[in-house]
Amino acid sequence: MTGYWAASRVRPSLEFYNYEAKYTAGLTEYIFPPQLKKKVHDRAQDTALAAHRALGCSGATRVDLIINAEGDPFVL
C-alpha cells in the first residue's frame, strides 16, 4: 500500500451514532488509533483501498467502515 492512512474508532454512548451522538459534547468517544487487532486493521485498510479503486477515485478519499463482531469490515 502507498499513501497516508489514518484510522479512528467512533464509540457513541448512545445505542446508535446519530445526529445527537455526533453533535452533543461528551456523547461520543473518538479513539486514535482505533485499537483493533492488526489483522482486522489490515483488512479494513485493504477494504477501504479496494473501494477507492473500484470507484475510480484519485487523490485523497475518506472511506467509512463498520466492523462487525467477527472483524469483517463493511463499506458504508
Side-chain angles (χ1 to χ4, degrees):
M1 281 185 236
T2 61
Y4 174 75
W5 299 93
S8 66
R9 183 174 184 176
V10 178
R11 185 182 300 161
S13 60
L14 302 176
E15 185 176 0
F16 297 103
Y17 184 62
N18 58 18
Y19 184 90
E20 180 184 10
K22 183 174 182 177
Y23 292 106
T24 304
L27 288 185
T28 299
E29 180 180 10
Y30 299 91
I31 304 162
F32 299 95
Q35 301 172 345
L36 297 170
K37 293 179 181 177
K38 182 174 179 357
K39 182 178 177 180
V40 173
H41 186 268
D42 290 348
R43 199 158 165 219
Q45 282 188 339
D46 291 344
T47 300
L49 182 58
H52 171 91
R53 289 179 174 160
L55 293 170
C57 297
S58 64
T61 58
R62 172 180 146 175
V63 179
D64 291 340
L65 304 169
I66 190 165
I67 299 174
N68 68 12
E70 290 76 35
D72 302 316
F74 296 90
V75 175
L76 300 176

